[in-house]
Amino acid sequence: MTATPFPVGELVAARRPHRKDAARNYDALLTAAREAFAEHGSDASLEDVARRAGVGIGTLYRNFPTRRDLFETVYADEVDALCRAAVEVAGLEPWEALTAWLDRFAGYMVTKRAVREALNDESEIFQTCRDSMYAAGGPLLQRAQRAGAARTDMDFTDLLRMVAGITATAFDDDAQRDRVLAIALDGVRTAR
């Protein structure tokens, strides 16, 4: 896997301000929005997002003129981080690379659920993000399959749906979610 930017990376870079102070506020708003969406879903208050970021509501609206702009940017930023994670783990052994990336994917699903409520699956940003995610994670599964570490009677869509289904379930805590994910991944791994 190369360090070639995925389409979503170009989208994220194009939206990010270049001035240092503006970029700091932008990043703080994204972090605050991610937290607020994880806690309160798509109904999170924009005033709460601005407060968490330590900026005024005017700064939020300068960066994200509409609620949808904020949702799209948070979503694209999460997918971009997921794509970068695929590049970072690509040097690991095939099975370890795949499971490390899937752990990151499971964490991403928390934000995705809240943001996806506000986005249409047919939107251009959603399609760009989906294409980038498949281009980043798909080769990790294929590599694990070629190495004999993952079953070959499944494709990347099957794997993502399995993990998404697990992360959509309510768990007592993150440790329980991680155990259930590990059990499911045991079903993906080939016998040694």
Side-chain angles (χ1 to χ4, degrees), residues 4-13 76 80 83 127-129 131-133 135:
T4 303
F6 297 95
V8 71
E10 295 168 9
L11 183 93
V12 168
D80 184 49
C83 291
Q127 190 60 47
T128 299
C129 289
D131 292 348
S132 295
M133 187 172 42

Side-chain angles (χ1 to χ4, degrees), residues 62-74:
R62 262 192 309 283
N63 283 283
F64 310 102
T66 68
R67 178 180 278 275
R68 182 177 177 89
D69 290 330
L70 182 58
F71 281 124
E72 286 181 348
T73 304
V74 168

Side-chain angles (χ1 to χ4, degrees), residues 5-25:
F6 297 95
V8 71
E10 295 168 9
L11 183 93
V12 168
R15 290 184 174 201
R16 193 167 190 276
H18 297 290
R19 275 189 16 237
K20 283 185 181 182
D21 60 330
R24 268 193 309 275
N25 288 341

Side-chain angles (χ1 to χ4, degrees), residues 47-157:
E47 289 78 10
D48 180 44
V49 171
R51 182 188 52 73
R52 288 175 189 235
V55 301
I57 194 71
T59 300
L60 184 145
Y61 282 116
R62 262 192 309 283
N63 283 283
F64 310 102
T66 68
R67 178 180 278 275
R68 182 177 177 89
D69 290 330
L70 182 58
F71 281 124
E72 286 181 348
T73 304
V74 168
Y75 183 62
D77 192 60
E78 284 290 298
V79 172
D80 184 49
L82 194 58
C83 291
R84 287 191 318 265
V87 173
E88 291 166 8
V89 302
L92 299 174
E93 291 298 318
W95 181 253
E96 286 75 22
L98 178 62
T99 56
W101 188 81
L102 288 171
D103 284 340
R104 178 65 179 90
F105 177 78
Y108 145 84
M109 288 302 295
V110 172
T111 301
K112 181 183 183 237
R113 272 193 304 278
V115 174
R116 187 158 180 195
E117 294 171 12
L119 296 178
N120 179 335
D121 285 359
E122 305 303 318
S123 74
E124 180 181 339
I125 190 139
F126 186 82
Q127 190 60 47
T128 299
C129 289
R130 184 181 185 283
D131 292 348
S132 295
M133 187 172 42
Y134 273 64
L140 296 174
L141 174 61
Q142 292 167 355
R143 183 172 161 243
Q145 288 170 325
R146 283 192 307 272
R151 53 191 302 163
T152 58
D153 61 343
M154 64 183 300
D155 63 20
F156 191 62
T157 300

